[in-house]
Amino acid sequence: MKKIVIIGGGTGNFVVLKGLKNYDVDLTAIVTMADNGGSTGILRDELGVLPPGDVRQCLVALSDSSRLMRSLMNYRFENGNLGGHSFGNLLLSALEKVTGSFEKAVEEAGRILFIKGKVLPVTTNQVNLKMILNNRKVLEGEVEIYLSKEIDKGYKSIYLEPFPKVNPRVIDEIMNADLVVISPGGLYTSIIPNLLVDGVSKAICRSQAKKVLIVNLMNRKGQTTGYKVSHSLNEILKFLESDVFDYILINNKKPPDELLKIYAEEGEFIENDLVHDERVVASDLLGPLGDQKIDFMKRSLIRHDSKKVAREIMKIVDNL
Amino acid sequence: MKKIVIIGGGTGNFVVLKGLKNYDVDLTAIVTMADNGGSTGILRDELGVLPPGDVRQCLVALSDSSRLMRSLMNYRFENGNLGGHSFGNLLLSALEKVTGSFEKAVEEAGRILFIKGKVLPVTTNQVNLKMILNNRKVLEGEVEIYLSKEIDKGYKSIYLEPFPKVNPRVIDEIMNADLVVISPGGLYTSIIPNLLVDGVSKAICRSQAKKVLIVNLMNRKGQTTGYKVSHSLNEILKFLESDVFDYILINNKKPPDELLKIYAEEGEFIENDLVHDERVVASDLLGPLGDQKIDFMKRSLIRHDSKKVAREIMKIVDNL
């Protein structure tokens, strides 16, 4: 059975894992630990736990339990002091308290949810993501970086503080993989924070696994303004030791104009400017509009289709 | 397999169920729904859910899942807005929201915890327990009644408001039982609130099952001051249509004097004054002092031993 390691944040990993779960492959999700927003941020502040949100999404994606259990994990309390907390986050935080370890908590939650595969936090240290912009402004925490509209004017550095130790199992998984996939997701908030953890970039480069980059569907105004595929690739390569990608998965189906218009203040469709690059695999990866129900934020109107993404990845796996 | 129905609140039912779980019997716990204190009270107020606390304790008692899962269910968050909430209460409340029904929530939680047997809320209506004292003072809610120190001066009435419908499965279970057991517990807060639900008392009286009353170890100052066994029995009989008990289980082992001294401001040892009543089964039912670790409240220093209680009940079952 081929071993696939998927690296990213909550939402992007969710899409990739959900599709691949239906195939006979050995899956490991490696998840960024820099989230400090919403329910996750409150739990970090109030309970001193590690951020559960992104891990929760990966667990739900890999879960073979009932639809009800998956709804439960994503259920958000609506009122009172619990308002905004997702139940799955509370489960992970309570398990962390009871077991004394976030990794054990993730393992135990995986058992409760009958997950297929593994979910590994990239580090089990408490970290904060920081970014220093060219204008010397310091952005603190994933949320502030996510919301910034001036990253496209240039930044001096992005780093995790304090400098974290990598989860050693992450390195083992990458070194043992047949395929390493970088999920779609916010470059500065979901993808790069994984590569900032010491040893991850080196492991990706040294592993004998084939490497796949799944390029985002849309760029983001103020962050990756005007980005085409080559820019996305080059930005990620800044945090890798060399250009390791064997496949660059690109969506070539433009969303309907009305949708692009609604989305315009968030960002634009990422055009493929790597026309002569043989590593490019371009196909329709666009998710159904029905996904609107899941999330009413504009940025989630246009998203990858987990089945289509999985099909393309499996074509690569079948040729390994 | 003999069918045993156990009626009471969280703590008393917990002790009885935990012991009986190890025998080859068919167990159903019927649980009062009048709790409005602590984490349970906050969830009722803020989320409009039914009270989860007592049900949670019964589920944990019947759970065949890992020690970790049982610790998780009883884990209480310590800080911030979640402070004081037990995780199991949050699980039941989230499940109630996701399934749209408290009964389904209890069933699903039972599945997650691999429980042996069934846990049934006595009603699935939102109710408040009220008590009108002889001095015309109105006590509202289980907590206020629990804390009152003047019930022993006499009360006019105790009732649930609004008048609830019985959970029909509760009647079925009682009518089908081979043995009905009234657990130990606060008379006005755990035991009688079950009997106040229309149909429960009638079902207990009409069922062909043998009936067992487990008498409390200690009376409570200001509530059941000076109570001996006969008083406990008679107080419960006020809420039953007739004296239905076939067995009256009594502890005859006095706790050590030092412990009784510590406990003195809470209440006194209940003496057996039913010396010529052939229904009395008197034996050592006293729990180990090690239980102190579980709860630092004085009233929990002296409690029933679940194994000893189960052994006595099983002697009765074996003779049915």
Side-chain angles (χ1 to χ4, degrees), chain A residues 214-218 229 248-255 269-272 281-287 302-304 308:
Chain A
I214 306 180
V215 178
N216 286 334
L217 303 173
M218 308 292 289
V229 170
I248 300 170
L249 234 62
I250 294 171
N251 165 55
N252 63 8
K253 170 112 184 259
K254 220 169 174 164
F269 185 68
I270 291 190
E271 306 277 354
N272 178 20
V281 179
S283 72
D284 169 10
L285 300 178
L286 204 59
I302 300 174
R303 50 169 77 205
H304 281 90
K308 292 175 186 172

Side-chain angles (χ1 to χ4, degrees), chain A residues 42-43 46-47 66 68-69 71-72 75 77-83 85 87 90-95 97-99 104 108 112 114, chain B residues 42-43 46-47 66 68-69 71-72 75 77-83 85 87 90-95 97-99 104 108 112 114:
Chain A
I42 293 168
L43 294 171
E46 291 191 345
L47 306 179
S66 64
L68 173 63
M69 276 302 282
S71 310
L72 175 68
Y75 172 73
F77 289 99
E78 283 169 10
N79 307 103
N81 282 327
L82 292 165
H85 280 302
F87 178 77
L90 300 184
L91 171 67
L92 283 162
S93 297
L95 277 170
K97 291 291 185 182
V98 173
T99 63
K104 277 190 204 146
E108 196 58 36
I112 296 170
F114 298 102
Chain B
I42 293 168
L43 293 172
E46 292 191 343
L47 307 179
S66 65
L68 174 64
M69 276 301 282
S71 309
L72 175 68
Y75 172 73
F77 289 99
E78 283 169 10
N79 307 102
N81 282 327
L82 292 164
H85 280 302
F87 177 78
L90 300 184
L91 172 68
L92 283 162
S93 297
L95 276 169
K97 291 290 184 180
V98 173
T99 63
K104 277 190 203 146
E108 196 59 35
I112 295 170
F114 298 101

Side-chain angles (χ1 to χ4, degrees), chain A residues 18 33 65 90 105 127 138 145 167 192 218 255 264 284 293:
Chain A
K18 193 163 173 269
M33 294 295 280
S65 68
L90 300 184
V127 289
V138 179
I145 294 169
N167 176 352
I192 291 165
M218 308 292 289
D284 169 10
K293 282 179 294 182

Side-chain angles (χ1 to χ4, degrees), chain B residues 14 34-35 78 83 172 174 245 270 279 296 305 307 312:
Chain B
F14 179 87
D35 189 8
E78 283 169 10
D172 292 344
I174 294 171
F245 292 108
I270 291 190
R279 303 173 298 170
F296 290 99
D305 183 296
K307 283 184 190 157
E312 291 305 321

Side-chain angles (χ1 to χ4, degrees), chain A residues 10-16 18 57 61 74 146 184-185 214-218 251-256 259-260 263 269 283-309:
Chain A
T11 313
N13 273 356
F14 179 87
V15 167
V16 179
K18 193 163 173 269
Q57 292 190 63
N74 285 329
Y146 181 79
I214 306 180
V215 178
N216 286 334
L217 303 173
M218 308 292 289
N251 165 55
N252 63 8
K253 170 112 184 259
K254 220 169 174 164
L259 211 54
L260 288 175
Y263 200 100
F269 185 68
S283 72
D284 169 10
L285 300 178
L286 204 59
L289 300 182
D291 277 2
Q292 260 178 279
K293 282 179 294 182
I294 298 173
D295 199 329
F296 289 100
M297 291 171 78
K298 272 184 199 141
R299 68 184 173 97
S300 67
L301 288 177
I302 300 174
R303 50 169 77 205
H304 281 90
D305 184 294
S306 54
K307 282 183 191 158
K308 292 175 186 172
V309 169

Side-chain angles (χ1 to χ4, degrees), chain B residues 2-15:
Chain B
K2 297 295 188 209
K3 186 173 186 61
I4 310 183
V5 169
I6 295 105
I7 302 175
T11 313
N13 272 356
F14 179 87
V15 167

Side-chain angles (χ1 to χ4, degrees), chain B residues 120-136:
Chain B
L120 298 180
V122 68
T123 177
T124 52
N125 297 159
Q126 277 285 13
V127 290
N128 273 302
L129 189 63
K130 286 202 175 182
M131 201 170 193
I132 302 179
L133 300 181
N134 275 352
N135 62 10
R136 304 217 175 269

